[in-house]
Amino acid sequence: MNCTLKYSPETSNTRAFIKQAEGVFQDLNVSTEVLRLSDYTIKFGTTSDEKNGDDWPKILDKIKKTDLFILATPIWRGDRSSIAKLVAERLDGIMEEGDEETGQYPTYNKVAGVLVDGNEDGAKKAISSMLFDFSEHGFTVPVNAFSYYVGEAGPGLSYIEAEGDLHEFTNNMLLLMAHNMVHMAQVLKEKPYPTDVKKLEEQAKQMST
């Protein structure tokens, strides 16, 4: 999901970064789909459906059907974009959609990662916030589940202008991210989490009295 603040068809550095990632995943026999979230009406809130023309339910449906989920964001004012933050807030709704038997969120056994691009500092702050959100929301975050590109402080050049697709560090992290995400998805297909969330919640109550 592209969290650029630019609307289609405006050129997006984040989209260019995503295109680079798509090639890597396709080499690993992973099919991809890209959504530019600025082109949708996503209401503010913390539920899975805020009604009145909210497009989030159909976006969430795509997340529920995928094995790998990547959130890609530009850096704005030293952090992830407001759209990326909005995604985190809306994902809170899945905590009320646990499996009837086990209580597992619909994001259990799904693997998540992040892409961050910008022309100034803030990548690591954005990455840490996003990966924590993923973990809390039930996604599995494998080792090195991120890649980023930033220009020189000042700000410097953005991804397209700086030919970020030729940046060795960024590409190395992208390869690590893709291979580890695909591996973890395959592992979870064969051996999904056995966690009984409801049972553990009851155990926690007993421990706390």
Side-chain angles (χ1 to χ4, degrees), residues 83-148:
I83 294 178
K85 177 65 174 176
L86 179 59
V87 170
E89 292 165 347
R90 293 305 304 272
L91 278 172
D92 269 8
I94 56 98
M95 294 181 176
E96 305 299 324
E97 299 180 38
D99 179 79
E100 289 185 5
E101 182 177 346
T102 66
Q104 289 188 5
Y105 311 149
T107 45
Y108 263 65
N109 301 304
K110 299 184 183 301
V111 179
V114 300
L115 298 174
V116 176
D117 70 284
N119 57 14
E120 58 185 344
D121 292 342
K124 291 186 177 181
K125 179 182 179 182
I127 290 166
S128 61
S129 297
M130 295 161 73
L131 293 184
F132 173 81
D133 287 340
F134 282 148
S135 181
E136 186 174 41
H137 287 139
F139 291 96
T140 294
V141 179
V143 64
N144 298 132
F146 64 89
S147 181
Y148 67 93

Side-chain angles (χ1 to χ4, degrees), residues 154-199:
L157 302 178
S158 296
Y159 186 85
I160 295 174
E161 189 178 5
E163 297 184 323
D165 59 326
L166 300 179
H167 196 277
E168 183 178 351
F169 172 82
T170 300
N171 287 333
N172 185 28
M173 293 306 301
L174 180 56
L175 289 167
L176 288 170
M177 168 185 168
H179 281 258
N180 291 340
M181 287 184 68
V182 171
H183 169 74
M184 185 55 66
Q186 292 169 337
V187 169
L188 292 173
K189 282 285 187 181
E190 297 175 5
K191 194 171 183 178
Y193 284 101
T195 311
D196 189 323
V197 176
K198 290 186 175 181
K199 184 177 180 179

